[in-house]
Amino acid sequence: SSMEVVLHYRPHQKDLIKLQKFAEAAVKEFPIRQLPRFTPWFPNDLHRLPLKPKKQAPVISYEEVEELKQLSTPSEYVTGFPDYDCTKNLLEFHSSMKNGPTLIQTQAVHQPINLDYQGEPPTNGEQKLKRSWSASLPSAKLKGKIHPLSQELQNNLERLKLHAFYRAKWTIEQSICNNHNLEDIWIKLNSLIKQNELPSCNATIQRSVGQIWIFCDILYCEYVRNILREKLNLTDKMDLFVHKYGTIFSL
């Protein structure tokens, strides 16, 4: 059988002998190497397997297979959510939202982002910030103001074998707000965290239970508590809670 070969070459490659050898090498059949017979490295004796099932595999009849197929068919209850829209409450998917990172950032700051809060909107046309969480940035200016932990708290940490960098939680309730509204306390707390006066802190407001949670390292917990008492005018004691250990200290 004959074969037609078309060889394309560059103008400066005009050596006919080299071109002929190149074409012959291109159409030359590849050598076929005879593979050796496969020999397994393990004993190939199915009657002497080290582990064998105690019982035979179950046999399912054709009728049972058809019954299982009917049971596994998706019902209308599972698939009956055509109107569900997960982007309904997301600002970036809002119809009035214009493109551009600057506009999106402005909307996210000045509009309420806590979707669970059902408060009435202000009537003066301005919407207050309803942040549901806040976090502090590291600050070097507070190092000289942080005092060592009290002896009582040190003893509790040693007894519970807790490190000073464990995260702990202070809880603010309406009962210790000294007749102030919890939302006003939350606004003031956001300002303190924004000004980096509370080291290692992040906070969240739980409006459903009427509480504000302030998380911080145990190393700074007493300093944070004193700042909260002074700046927020809080009364009564607060309990320091550590996950899986419960209340470990009161101040």
Side-chain angles (χ1 to χ4, degrees):
S1 61
S2 61
M3 179 184 298
E4 182 179 356
V5 178
V6 179
L7 181 63
H8 299 272
Y9 60 91
R10 294 182 177 87
H12 64 277
Q13 297 175 337
K14 296 182 178 180
D15 191 336
L16 297 179
I17 298 178
K18 289 184 178 180
L19 291 176
Q20 183 179 356
K21 290 183 178 180
F22 184 81
E24 291 176 353
V27 298
K28 187 178 180 181
E29 294 185 1
F30 290 100
I32 300 177
R33 181 172 61 91
Q34 188 68 27
L35 295 178
R37 185 176 181 275
F38 173 75
T39 304
W41 57 268
F42 52 87
N44 191 19
D45 187 357
L46 298 179
H47 299 285
R48 296 183 181 180
L49 291 177
L51 296 177
K52 295 174 63 176
K54 188 175 182 179
K55 298 180 180 179
Q56 295 291 334
V59 179
I60 302 178
S61 63
Y62 176 79
E63 291 77 8
E64 290 174 324
V65 171
E66 293 298 324
E67 183 179 355
L68 290 175
K69 288 183 178 179
Q70 294 178 1
L71 292 176
S72 62
T73 303
S75 63
E76 294 181 1
Y77 178 77
V78 176
T79 59
F81 297 101
D83 298 330
Y84 175 72
D85 184 7
C86 63
T87 65
K88 181 173 61 175
N89 293 323
L90 297 179
L91 294 175
E92 54 264 46
F93 292 96
H94 200 272
S95 58
S96 62
M97 181 65 65
K98 296 182 179 180
N99 293 331
T102 304
L103 293 175
I104 293 177
Q105 183 178 4
T106 304
Q107 292 283 347
V109 170
H110 294 289
Q111 289 190 4
I113 62 174
N114 180 23
L115 303 176
D116 296 330
Y117 181 65
Q118 302 297 330
E120 294 294 331
T123 57
N124 57 2
E126 296 182 1
Q127 293 179 329
K128 290 185 178 180
L129 183 64
K130 301 294 183 183
R131 297 184 64 177
S132 59
W133 59 269
S134 187
S136 67
L137 297 174
S139 177
K141 66 180 182 179
L142 296 175
K143 290 184 178 180
K145 299 181 181 180
I146 307 297
H147 300 291
L149 297 176
S150 64
Q151 190 61 46
E152 179 184 356
L153 183 53
Q154 290 184 35
N155 294 339
N156 291 344
L157 296 183
E158 185 177 353
R159 176 175 55 85
L160 297 172
K161 297 181 180 179
L162 285 174
H163 196 275
F165 284 103
Y166 261 78
R167 298 293 283 176
K169 178 182 75 173
W170 294 111
T171 301
I172 299 178
E173 297 181 346
Q174 186 63 54
S175 60
I176 66 171
C177 290
N178 199 11
N179 297 327
H180 290 289
N181 186 281
L182 196 66
E183 292 290 341
D184 295 334
I185 296 293
W186 175 242
I187 293 174
K188 293 179 181 179
L189 178 62
N190 275 307
S191 178
L192 292 176
I193 293 179
K194 184 178 180 180
Q195 297 170 10
N196 295 333
E197 296 194 33
L198 300 176
S200 78
C201 276
N202 63 291
T204 176
I205 182 170
Q206 303 289 327
R207 293 185 174 92
S208 60
V209 294
Q211 293 179 345
I212 296 175
W213 297 347
I214 301 121
F215 300 89
C216 64
D217 295 343
I218 297 179
L219 180 64
Y220 308 113
C221 67
E222 291 179 315
Y223 176 82
V224 169
R225 172 63 177 112
N226 293 331
I227 293 295
L228 294 177
R229 181 194 290 114
E230 176 186 352
K231 301 291 186 179
L232 303 181
N233 195 21
L234 301 178
T235 61
D236 207 351
K237 285 188 174 183
M238 292 173 62
D239 294 330
L240 186 67
F241 181 88
V242 177
H243 183 58
K244 295 185 179 181
Y245 292 88
T247 300
I248 66 169
F249 186 63
S250 296
L251 184 62

